[in-house]
Amino acid sequence: MAAPSIQSAPLAAANDARTRGCGAVHSGAPRAPLFYSMKLEQAANRYSQGDSLQKAAADSGYLASEIAGIHLSGPANDAEVEQMLMKRDCRTLQDPKMREFAAVQRGREIWMVLAAPVTLPARGDAASVGGEVLSLVNAARSTGRRCGGKYFAPTAPLSLEPMLTRAALQHSRDMAEHDAFDHRGHDGSSPAARVERAGFTEHRIVGENIAAGATTAGEVMQGWLASPAHCENIMDGRFTLMGVAYAENLHTQSGVFWTQDFAAPRAAGRR
């Protein structure tokens, strides 16, 4: 009988404070109600046992862009829970970025966790994510751009190459599995070796960008363009083909790992 109380009473109190503005004049758009998350409840349980919020979330496989904790000690009933929340935790409860909630209760001790879950790339729709990255790459290549201290003139668009995407996916999965951020694979492979392993053997030039933590095509491209070395790969007119892929591991701090491979065939029409 404890679980329904944990899920309903603290959640109801939190949402009441959230929607009413904790008794203050409520400005701006109404806050959307918090939703109970069973995965976040695992994090709340770890938090109640002394783990930091970040470690509790990571160990529970919950990837949060923002997270906050509330510890109430001593409330004897639901009314006291609500009063304590309204008095002490208004700012946290009013944060519109927080969307999910969980709580753990032991006697008169209650631990609450609120979080803004990370929106991961389109699950099961990697092709659309790859297409979006390609569009952003070609938009960047269509105009002149300075990468650090080096200027690149506009250059021809790239095309997606399935073999390069396979190589990119292999390395993204390798980084995700081993929680590593490195161009060298766990097996010692180089970008060129992975491209060849994926079937693209007749290349004259290969390049690679990697990223960790970005959750959208736009975010990963923004990071790459802001980095001179990554930006140079994107703007390099010698490249004609590209592959891109991501892999997820919610038990890591980064959560999402990206690889972008570039290449040009040794001769036109030849692989």
Side-chain angles (χ1 to χ4, degrees):
M1 297 299 292
S5 175
I6 291 172
Q7 293 185 25
S8 61
L11 177 60
N15 274 330
D16 190 50
R18 183 175 171 90
T19 56
R20 287 201 300 154
C22 298
V25 176
H26 189 74
S27 60
R31 304 291 190 263
L34 298 164
F35 290 92
Y36 202 91
S37 165
M38 296 304 296
K39 182 171 283 190
L40 195 57
E41 185 178 296
Q42 298 176 38
N45 188 57
R46 291 175 180 270
Y47 174 55
S48 74
Q49 295 171 358
D51 282 356
S52 69
L53 284 169
Q54 290 71 24
K55 185 177 187 303
D59 289 350
S60 302
Y62 188 98
L63 190 60
S65 59
E66 293 193 34
I67 193 165
I70 295 172
H71 178 207
L72 302 182
S73 182
N77 51 52
D78 296 349
E80 290 186 9
V81 170
E82 187 170 340
Q83 289 170 8
M84 292 178 73
L85 287 174
M86 288 189 171
K87 183 177 181 180
R88 297 173 23 191
D89 301 291
C90 248
R91 181 165 296 185
T92 299
L93 292 168
Q94 284 285 287
D95 188 340
K97 295 185 294 297
M98 299 300 183
R99 292 171 16 218
E100 296 193 344
F101 174 96
V104 170
Q105 184 169 2
R106 297 189 184 93
R108 291 193 176 188
E109 303 285 321
I110 303 175
W111 292 263
M112 301 180 184
V113 177
L114 294 80
V118 165
T119 303
L120 296 172
R123 293 179 183 273
D125 195 12
S128 69
V129 176
E132 187 176 353
V133 172
L134 178 67
S135 295
L136 293 170
V137 165
N138 286 336
R141 287 169 68 93
S142 69
T143 60
R145 181 176 297 271
R146 186 169 293 279
C147 299
K150 186 175 181 180
Y151 175 76
F152 286 80
T155 190
L158 300 177
S159 299
L160 281 177
E161 165 55 62
M163 287 182 284
L164 295 182
T165 295
R166 285 200 297 272
L169 181 59
Q170 175 200 2
H171 191 52
S172 292
R173 286 175 172 171
D174 185 56
M175 289 192 294
E177 180 181 354
H178 297 100
D179 193 12
F181 185 69
D182 199 325
H183 288 285
R184 183 160 295 277
H186 191 69
D187 61 358
S189 61
S190 65
R194 291 190 292 272
V195 164
E196 292 171 4
R197 187 186 299 164
F200 198 101
T201 56
E202 297 298 323
H203 57 78
R204 60 184 172 85
I205 184 173
V206 169
E208 183 177 85
N209 287 345
I210 57 175
T215 59
T216 66
E219 187 180 348
V220 76
M221 274 296 296
Q222 184 178 20
W224 281 333
L225 289 174
S227 165
H230 296 88
C231 177
E232 287 186 20
N233 275 339
I234 289 170
M235 296 301 297
D236 194 329
R238 296 173 297 172
F239 293 128
T240 59
L241 301 169
M242 185 197 86
V244 63
Y246 63 87
E248 302 167 8
N249 183 348
L250 302 188
H251 294 284
T252 64
Q253 184 173 356
S254 297
V256 188
F257 297 80
W258 297 77
T259 305
Q260 183 181 41
D261 283 326
F262 304 90
R266 189 167 294 167
R270 214 178 137 201
R271 296 289 189 272

